[in-house]
Structures are given as structure tokens and as C-alpha cells.
């Protein structure tokens, strides 16, 4: 125990005080024991506190370490994930950037007002101008902006409602002055708060596709050659005009125009000349007519005109005459005048019909009549015409049927050699016995067959029937002379003739020289050299050729010279007037020409002894006609062959 009033630790002093002891005075045994037990209790308590403290400290630090480790782990994970994502983002951005720069397409952005705020390189390249000149402008403000109403409306509507839009195509003028078409698609952009901030999208140049589709639309509605509306547009327009006339109780006239002599222009001067005729005719028709009149080209050399408003037949006839005069003016082609004329048929709404389709048929039928009655004229549709057209259709059907059902037959007319009087040839002439109407003249149904595309079939039938008949006669011990067969122009331009000839000869076991083909001057002129090769091939088979109806056509000397023909048949219009002076000199000339070209001269339609005598005196080689023998059915003709 230390000395002094303040000696000893305050704790000790306090304990001593509580026990009623003093530092300076020694305690009694009881006090000492109390003191010692108190001190040891204090120590024990302090130890306990320290232990608890240390224990909780250890626990806390353990927890801290675990937490720390977890956090560290979490952080590592996050870091690697961020790195991964960053790399992916970088790659995808790179990919996008290279795609955007590689493709001709571009990316754009615009603000809430539709002004361009960003354009990728593609747009700049397409436009050929720096981005700066484009940025800040609306598409509608760009040079040469054009867009069809429907698309524009779709775009405006989408923008107003902040909706996406797709494939909005518009035109724009680019740096080099040319017009390009671009297609843009866009989506609205919203910020984090959901407020609209503009659009973002892609653009692509669709100029080629747009121009091609425009061209197609144009071609679908207009005739490329003349620039006139075409058949499709005419049909639409006619429906519109009919509907309008129906509502307003109006009238209108429909004119059908077909050119006469167009085919000859094509044949003689080539297709370029034909095209020029069509172009000029189209322009003249357009010029002659009012703005409100509708002119279209239906195809080939067919035009059609709609004359709306109040129209009288007299007024329509005047309009028709005016068009005819315009068409008939010579057309200059490479310094050469070309001549065509027109035939016009007119049908009236509502007098003739109130149906578009009927009106077209009626105008067509009237035009056909104008052609038949000598061309270069205007004809109105009449009820009688309807009956005629209906009859034509029925006839066509009947003719088609007769190829298989029978009704067609060949008659044979002899050709006589004037010096010897023997039969030097026979001409096969086709006959058609109509089931109700009886015999139809060949001039009528051959024309029908030509017009309705049946002539090749008819020609094939005649060829086969003639060859079969020759075979039959031969098999019956008769010796028929060479048989002449008439050809139509269409047969010469079709590929079928040569094959048909080979088949018929082969099928019936005949040689080519058993057949002679008669070509009229008209046929020769129309083929204009195109069939030269075909005729030479036929000639090589041994087939003979004759020029029919000579004197009625316009064949030139060079044409006749080129033709590999062995006979020239002088038309019966001259022979029939023999021995009149002028007929005599024409016939004499024809015979001299035949001989000059190394052909035999044959006179057609000899009906009298005087004619025959004149022909003999003119040194004509052969003759054919009622006087020498009428066309007869095969069986009756066989009697001729026997005698
Ligand atoms: P075409 O080739 O000139 O035939 C001669 C025509 O004159 C025949 O008329 C014949 O019957 C007729 N005829 C013969 N002798 C006389 C006569 O002395 N006086 C008169 N007035 N006429 C006579 P058809 O049979 O009516 O034939 C008319 C035309 O039809 C033929 O004229 C020919 O161009 C054409 N034709 C006839 N058969 C065929 C054929 O199988 N195919 C083709 N494409 N045309 C044919
Ligand atoms: Mg003939
Ligand atoms: Mg003839």
C-alpha cells in the first residue's frame, strides 16, 4: 500500500471505501477476506467482458471477410460481363457500320419536324452532294421532290400518328441533275420518358425498278408506236363513256377505222414504212378531232374513235369523211410518197346498242361492209348488217365442220392443147355444198377461209383430195394429165405448204410433176419475194407453177421473170371479149410475154368458137373454158379421161 491521502488507484480506493476500509490502516481478517473476494470478482467480471468482446470481434471479422469475398467475386463477374458486352457491342457496331457503308442503302434520322438530322454515307453517295446540303431539310423540300398522292398521304398519316411507315417511294433531283427515286422506311423514336423525338430509318435507291414499272404501266395503256391509247385503255374509256351517257341520257358515236393498202405498204416498202404510216395516221386523226374525242389504236392497222356529246348521223358522217380525207393524203417516207386509204364503220349509242361490247361489234361490222363495198368510205351499222355478220359466223362454223363432216368436193375442168386437141391438163376447183344453203361459190368461201384463218386447212384438204383422186384414176387404169391446184396468198407465207405437199405426194404415191400450182398475180405481188425460196423448193420436187388470172393484177416483169413458172393463164376478162380489138391486142401481148419468158400461154374462160379461133391465130398454146369442158365432179370427169 502506498503512502499519502491520494495514494493507490482510484478503483482500489473506491472499493476500499465501499468496504469501509482504509488504505493506510490494515484491515481485519474479515475485511481482508471481503476485499480479496471483491477484487477477484472484479477480475472475473473483467475477464468475462474481455472474452465476450474478443468473441464478437472474431465473429464480426469472419463475417466481414466472407462478405468481402462475395463482393469481390461479384465485382469480378460484373467486370467480365461488362467486358463481354462491350466487345459484343463493338463487334455489332462494326458490323453495322461496315454494312451501312458497303450497301448502297443508307440510314437517316430526322427530328420532330421531319428535318433530316443524320444521313449515313450511302445517301451522300447516292445524292452526289455533301450531307450538309441535305441536313436540316424535309424530304418534301428537296429538289425535284415528287411522290404520287396516295403514297404522300400514307406518309403524312403515319407521321401525324407517330406510326412506322414502309417503302415510301419519292423522286428527288440529285447533283448531276438527274431524277432518282428512293424508297424510305422509318420508325418513330421516343426518348426515355416516352416523348416523340423524331424518326429513324433506312433508304434505298429504287430508280431502275421505278422507271421500269412506270414504263410498264405506260406500255400497258398506250400504244408504243403511235403514242395513242391502246386497246386496254379504249375498253376502259368506252365503259366510262357508256356509263356517262347512260346517266346523262347522252349520245355518242363509235368509229372503227381500218386502213386499206396498209399490208401492201408493208410488203412493198418494209416494216419501217408501215410503222411510219401508222404514226402519221395516228397524228392526223388526233389533229382532225377535238380534244374531247378519244382516239386509240387497237392493233395492226385498226384505229377506233369515240365521238361523245350530241351527235347526229350527218355530223358523224362528216367527221368520218374528214378522217378519210386526212388518211388518204400521201405520206412521205424517205422521199417517197406512200398511199393508204381508210374504211370507217360507225355505230351509235343508244340507237344501235347501249352495250359497249355490241357497239364495238357493230362498228366493226359496218367497217367490214365499207371495205367490201369498195373501201375509202364510211358505213353506218344497220340491222341488215347484223344479219350479215351473224351469217358470216354461222358460215365459218359450218365450213370448219365440213373439213371432217363432208360437204367439200373437187370439180375438175380440162385444159386443152390447141394444136393437138388433146387434154394437156386439168384444174381442180373446190366446191362446197352448204348443208342448208346448197352450193356456195368458191370466191365467197375461199375469202371467208382466208379471213377466218382457215385457208391453210382448206388448202391442205384440196391438195390431199386432188392427189387422192389422181391416185384413184391411175389405179383405175386412166392416165390423168397434170393437175392444177389454186393457191391463196396466205398459203405461201405459211410454213405448212411445203410439208403438206410432200405428205400428199407421199401418201398417194405421186411424183411432184403430177401437180401444178396456180398463183394469181395478186398472190405473187403480195408475197413480195418472201416465198421465192419456198417456190424454188417446190420446183425442186418437180412441181409445176402457173400464173393465174394474168392481166388483172400488177405483177412487174421482174417478178414474173423471177418466178419459176411454166405457164401463164390469160384472164377470162380478156378472152371473153375476143376477138374485140383491144382484147385482141392485150391477149396478143400476154401470149408474147409468156413465150418471151419461156412459158406456155393458156387462155381461160373460152366460151365460143370465135374466141378459140382467135386464140389459135395468136399462137396460144392451151385453152380452158365451158366450150372445151365445164368443171365436173370426179366421176363425170373420168368419162372425159377415157375418151
Ligand atoms: P380460177 O382459178 O380462175 O378458176 C377458174 C374459174 O373460172 C372457175 O370458177 C371456173 O369454173 C370458171 N370458168 C371456167 N371456164 C369458164 C368459162 O368458160 N366461162 C366462165 N364465165 N367461167 C369459167 P370457180 O370454180 O367459181 O372458181 C373461182 C375462183 O375461185 C378460181 O378462179 C380460184 O381463184 C378460186 N378457187 C377455186 N378453187 C380453189 C381452191 O381450191 N383453192 C383456192 N385457193 N382458190 C380456189
Ligand atoms: Mg385457177
Ligand atoms: Mg383464173
Amino acid at each position: 500500500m502506498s503512502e499519502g491521502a491520494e495514494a493507490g488507484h482510484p478503483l482500489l480506493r473506491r472499493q476500499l471505501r465501499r468496504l469501509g476500509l482504509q488504505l493506510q490502516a490494515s484491515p481485519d481478517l474479515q475485511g481482508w477476506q471481503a476485499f480479496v473476494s471483491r477484487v477477484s470478482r472484479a477480475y472475473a467480471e473483467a475477464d468475462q467482458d474481455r472474452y465476450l468482446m474478443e468473441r464478437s470481434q472474431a465473429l464480426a471479422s469472419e463475417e466481414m471477410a466472407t462478405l468481402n469475398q462475395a463482393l469481390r467475386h461479384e465485382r469480378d463477374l460484373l467486370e467480365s460481363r461488362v467486358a463481354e458486352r462491350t466487345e459484343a457491342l463493338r463487334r455489332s457496331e462494326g458490323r453495322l457500320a461496315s454494312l451501312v457503308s458497303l450497301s448502297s442503302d443508307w440510314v437517316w434520322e430526322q427530328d420532330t419536324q421531319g428535318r433530316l438530322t443524320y444521313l449515313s454515307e450511302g445517301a451522300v453517295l447516292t445524292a452526289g452532294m455533301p450531307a450538309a446540303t441535305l441536313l436540316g431539310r424535309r424530304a418534301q423540300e428537296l429538289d425535284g421532290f415528287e411522290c404520287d398522292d396516295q403514297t404522300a398521304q400514307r406518309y403524312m398519316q403515319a407521321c401525324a400518328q407517330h406510326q412506322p411507315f414502309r417503302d415510301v417511294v419519292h423522286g428527288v433531283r440529285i447533283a448531276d441533275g438527274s431524277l432518282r427515286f428512293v424508297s424510305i422506311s422509318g420508325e418513330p423514336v421516343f426518348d426515355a420518358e416516352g416523348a416523340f423525338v423524331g424518326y429513324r430509318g433506312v433508304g434505298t435507291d429504287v430508280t431502275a425498278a421505278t422507271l421500269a414499272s412506270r414504263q410498264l404501266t405506260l406500255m400497258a395503256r398506250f400504244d408504243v408506236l403511235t403514242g395513242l391509247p391502246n386497246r386496254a385503255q379504249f375498253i376502259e374509256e368506252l365503259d366510262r363513256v357508256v356509263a356517262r351517257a347512260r346517266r346523262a341520257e347522252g349520245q355518242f358515236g363509235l368509229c372503227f377505222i381500218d386502213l386499206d393498202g396498209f399490208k401492201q405498204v408493208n410488203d412493198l416498202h418494209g416494216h419501217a414504212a408501215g410503222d411510219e404510216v401508222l404514226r402519221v395516221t395516228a397524228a392526223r386523226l388526233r389533229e382532225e378531232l377535238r380534244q374531247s374525242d378519244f382516239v386509240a389504236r387497237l392493233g395492226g392497222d385498226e384505229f377506233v374513235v369515240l365521238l361523245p356529246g350530241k351527235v347526229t348521223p350527218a355530223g358523224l358522217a362528216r367527221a368520218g369523211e374528214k378522217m378519210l380525207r386526212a388518211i388518204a393524203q400521201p405520206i412521205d417516207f424517205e422521199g417517197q410518197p406512200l398511199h393508204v386509204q381508210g374504211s370507217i364503220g360507225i355505230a351509235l349509242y343508244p340507237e344501235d346498242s347501249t352495250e359497249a361490247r355490241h357497239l364495238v361489234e357493230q362498228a366493226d361490222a359496218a367497217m367490214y361492209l365499207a371495205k367490201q363495198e369498195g373501201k375509202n368510205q364510211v358505213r353506218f351499222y344497220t340491222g341488215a348488217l347484223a344479219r350479215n355478220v351473224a351469217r358470216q359466223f354461222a358460215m365459218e362454223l359450218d365450213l370448219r365442220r365440213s373439213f371432217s363432216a363432208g360437204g367439200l368436193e373437187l370439180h375438175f375442168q380440162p385444159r386443152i392443147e390447141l394444136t393437138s386437141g388433146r387434154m394437156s391438163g386439168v384444174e381442180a376447183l373446190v366446191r362446197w355444198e352448204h348443208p342448208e344453203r346448197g352450193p356456195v361459190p368458191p370466191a365467197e368461201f375461199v375469202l371467208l377461209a382466208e379471213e377466218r384463218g382457215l385457208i391453210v386447212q382448206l388448202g391442205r384438204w384440196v391438195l390431199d383430195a386432188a392427189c387422192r383422186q389422181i391416185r384413184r384414176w391411175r389405179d383405175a387404169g386412166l392416165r390423168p394429165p397434170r393437175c392444177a391446184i389454186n393457191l391463196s396468198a396466205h398459203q405461201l407465207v405459211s410454213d405448212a405448204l411445203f410439208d403438206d405437199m410432200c405428205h400428199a405426194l407421199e401418201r398417194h404415191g405421186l411424183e411432184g410433176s403430177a401437180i401444178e400450182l396456180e398463183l394469181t398475180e395478186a398472190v405473187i405481188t403480195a408475197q413480195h419475194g418472201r416465198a421465192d425460196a419456198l417456190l424454188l423448193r417446190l420446183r425442186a420436187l418437180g412441181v409445176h407453177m402457173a400464173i393465174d388470172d394474168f392481166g388483172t393484177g400488177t405483177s412487174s416483169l421482174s417478178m414474173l421473170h423471177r418466178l419459176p413458172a411454166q405457164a401463164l393463164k390469160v384472164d377470162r376478162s380478156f378472152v371473153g371479149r375476143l376477138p374485140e380489138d383491144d382484147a385482141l391486142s392485150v391477149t396478143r401481148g400476154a401470149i408474147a410475154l409468156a413465150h418471151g419468158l419461156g412459158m406456155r400461154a393458156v387462155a381461160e374462160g373460152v366460151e365460143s368458137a370465135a374466141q378459140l379461133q382467135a386464140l389459135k391465130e395468136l399462137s396460144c398454146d392451151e385453152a380452158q373454158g365451158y366450150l372445151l369442158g365445164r368443171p365436173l365432179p370426179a366421176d363425170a370427169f373420168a368419162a372425159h379421161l377415157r375418151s
Side-chain angles (χ1 to χ4, degrees):
M1 300 276 158
S2 58
E3 287 171 51
E6 294 306 304
H9 194 276
L11 258 179
L12 180 62
R13 279 204 306 271
R14 202 182 324 139
Q15 294 300 334
L16 288 174
R17 237 187 339 263
R18 280 196 196 148
L19 289 168
L21 298 175
Q22 290 190 356
L23 193 61
Q24 288 85 7
S26 291
D28 59 6
L29 184 64
Q30 208 180 356
W32 187 247
Q33 278 174 336
F35 177 72
V36 168
S37 98
R38 216 171 237 269
V39 167
S40 62
R41 203 166 59 229
Y43 271 125
E45 275 172 9
D47 271 352
Q48 178 76 6
D49 281 354
R50 201 177 51 243
Y51 170 76
L52 284 176
M53 177 79 90
E54 273 173 7
R55 177 91 188 105
S56 78
Q57 263 181 353
L59 278 174
S61 99
E62 218 172 279
E63 253 172 52
M64 291 281 275
T66 319
L67 196 65
N68 189 16
Q69 205 176 355
L71 278 173
R72 217 181 274 251
H73 182 69
E74 193 81 352
R75 190 200 59 197
D76 289 352
L77 221 61
L78 267 176
E79 267 176 6
S80 83
R81 219 173 274 168
V82 166
E84 227 170 75
R85 292 282 162 92
T86 311
E87 174 58 17
L89 188 65
R90 200 187 55 73
R91 272 203 308 268
S92 110
E93 270 181 349
R95 203 152 45 213
L96 186 66
S98 85
L99 281 180
V100 166
S101 78
L102 269 180
S103 94
S104 52
D105 299 353
W106 60 90
V107 176
W108 55 264
E109 283 173 354
Q110 63 189 29
D111 63 12
T112 53
Q113 303 304 306
R115 288 177 299 232
L116 286 165
T117 52
Y118 169 75
L119 277 172
S120 68
E121 213 175 331
V124 177
L125 286 177
T126 301
M129 44 183 120
T133 56
L134 300 167
L135 294 180
R137 298 166 76 182
R138 291 188 185 85
Q140 303 93 296
E141 295 164 2
L142 297 175
D143 287 343
F145 176 86
E146 67 164 84
C147 186
D148 71 73
D149 293 347
Q150 219 178 334
T151 310
Q153 206 178 344
R154 181 160 62 87
Y155 171 73
M156 304 293 263
Q157 206 170 343
C159 288
Q161 298 171 353
H162 299 169
Q163 291 286 324
F165 57 82
R166 296 264 170 274
D167 308 321
V168 167
V169 175
H170 69 79
V172 60
R173 195 165 302 290
I174 64 164
D176 68 6
S178 67
L179 191 65
R180 309 294 296 175
F181 290 91
V182 301
S183 169
I184 57 169
S185 297
E187 277 183 351
V189 182
F190 301 95
D191 65 12
E193 277 73 51
F196 173 70
V197 291
Y199 269 89
R200 175 188 302 141
V202 291
T204 182
D205 185 319
V206 292
T207 307
T210 307
L211 290 181
S213 101
R214 284 193 175 189
Q215 184 66 18
L216 274 182
T217 321
L218 218 65
M219 272 162 63
R221 293 178 55 76
F222 287 90
D223 169 44
V224 180
L225 180 67
T226 61
L228 289 181
N230 64 6
R231 179 184 291 272
Q233 201 182 334
F234 161 67
I235 289 168
E236 278 173 28
E237 178 68 15
L238 179 60
D239 283 341
R240 228 191 324 269
V241 170
V242 165
R244 202 183 306 141
R246 220 170 256 164
R247 273 197 309 275
E249 292 188 11
Q251 287 176 299
F252 70 90
L254 191 160
C255 307
F256 221 93
I257 307 169
D258 192 286
L259 299 187
D260 306 320
F262 175 71
K263 207 176 129 22
Q264 282 85 323
V265 168
N266 254 337
D267 288 344
L268 287 171
H269 303 277
H271 286 279
D275 287 353
E276 181 64 10
V277 167
L278 293 174
R279 265 193 299 264
V280 171
T281 304
R284 286 182 187 168
L285 288 175
R286 201 47 281 178
E287 210 169 280
E288 282 300 324
L289 297 162
R290 291 196 208 119
Q291 204 55 43
S292 54
D293 301 337
F294 181 89
V295 189
R297 178 179 170 223
L298 293 190
D301 56 354
E302 284 182 349
F303 295 86
V304 73
V305 177
L306 290 174
L307 299 163
K310 244 188 139 32
V311 278
T312 58
L316 283 173
R318 267 199 305 280
E321 298 288 347
K322 207 165 67 167
M323 289 191 265
L324 286 183
R325 272 197 303 277
I327 293 170
Q329 296 298 313
I331 292 168
D332 177 73
F333 177 70
E334 294 174 354
Q336 219 177 348
L338 302 176
H339 297 272
V340 289
Q341 292 184 325
S343 293
I344 299 185
I346 300 180
L348 272 79
Y349 178 101
E351 286 81 353
D352 294 325
S353 175
T354 53
E355 295 294 322
R357 195 166 52 87
H358 288 163
L359 285 168
V360 173
E361 284 168 4
Q362 292 167 343
D364 186 22
M367 181 280 294
Y368 192 70
L369 182 73
K371 251 192 192 326
Q372 277 185 330
E373 291 190 347
K375 305 173 180 172
N376 196 27
Q377 54 188 319
V378 180
R379 279 285 168 275
F380 281 86
Y381 176 77
T382 62
L385 211 51
R387 290 189 288 281
N388 193 18
V389 170
R391 190 176 152 225
Q392 289 261 343
F393 275 114
M395 289 274 278
E396 179 193 341
L397 262 180
D398 295 337
L399 183 58
R400 278 180 195 279
R401 240 177 251 136
S402 68
F403 287 122
S404 50
L408 286 172
E409 196 190 354
L410 287 185
H411 280 194
F412 298 89
Q413 186 179 31
R415 217 159 95 181
I416 307 295
E417 190 176 58
L418 293 184
T419 47
S420 64
R422 67 176 185 94
M423 197 192 295
S424 55
V426 52
E427 180 173 4
L429 294 159
V430 68
R431 296 289 175 261
W432 182 31
E433 179 87 12
H434 188 274
E436 288 115 42
R437 228 169 281 140
V440 182
E444 194 176 316
F445 72 84
V446 166
L447 188 74
L448 182 75
E450 280 175 352
E451 276 164 2
R452 303 292 175 181
L454 294 173
I455 193 65
V456 169
Q457 204 178 346
L458 179 65
R460 188 177 296 142
W461 185 91
V462 169
L463 202 55
D464 190 69
C467 289
R468 174 179 301 119
Q469 192 55 58
I470 297 167
R471 167 57 38 212
R472 275 196 196 140
W473 284 330
R474 285 192 189 175
D475 287 350
L478 300 171
R479 298 186 55 220
R482 179 173 298 125
C483 180
I485 289 166
N486 294 281
L487 282 191
S488 287
H490 293 73
Q491 284 175 273
L492 275 188
V493 286
S494 122
D495 296 327
L497 182 61
F498 186 80
D499 289 344
D500 289 347
M501 177 64 83
C502 292
H503 282 147
L505 292 175
E506 200 179 283
R507 188 175 307 132
H508 302 291
L510 300 182
E511 62 293 343
S513 60
I515 302 295
E516 180 170 81
L517 294 176
E518 291 194 2
L519 303 130
T520 63
E521 277 199 280
V523 170
I524 295 164
T525 315
Q527 60 105 5
H528 191 60
R530 278 177 301 176
D532 282 1
L534 168 68
L535 294 178
L536 286 175
R537 281 166 78 205
L538 287 166
R539 186 68 199 105
L541 287 179
V543 172
H544 280 228
M545 317 262 159
I547 296 158
D548 202 357
D549 299 352
F550 184 76
T552 57
T554 55
S555 49
S556 68
L557 268 183
S558 72
M559 254 183 237
L560 295 178
H561 189 61
R562 227 178 31 225
L563 212 69
Q566 289 72 48
L568 185 143
K569 299 182 81 174
V570 184
D571 193 67
R572 64 172 180 271
S573 55
F574 306 110
V575 176
R577 287 193 290 111
L578 287 177
E580 281 173 35
D581 267 359
D582 60 331
L584 205 62
S585 51
V586 171
T587 309
R588 183 186 293 115
I591 292 169
L593 180 68
H595 292 163
L597 291 170
M599 302 183 211
R600 293 171 71 77
V602 184
E604 290 190 276
V606 181
E607 292 180 350
S608 71
Q611 289 163 2
L612 190 63
Q613 187 52 38
L615 288 164
K616 280 181 179 165
E617 281 165 17
L618 291 172
S619 310
C620 187
D621 303 290
E622 298 173 38
Q624 186 179 341
Y626 294 165
L627 179 74
L628 304 162
R630 289 186 170 260
L632 293 173
D635 289 346
F637 190 77
H640 263 296
L641 287 177
R642 279 191 198 94
S643 62

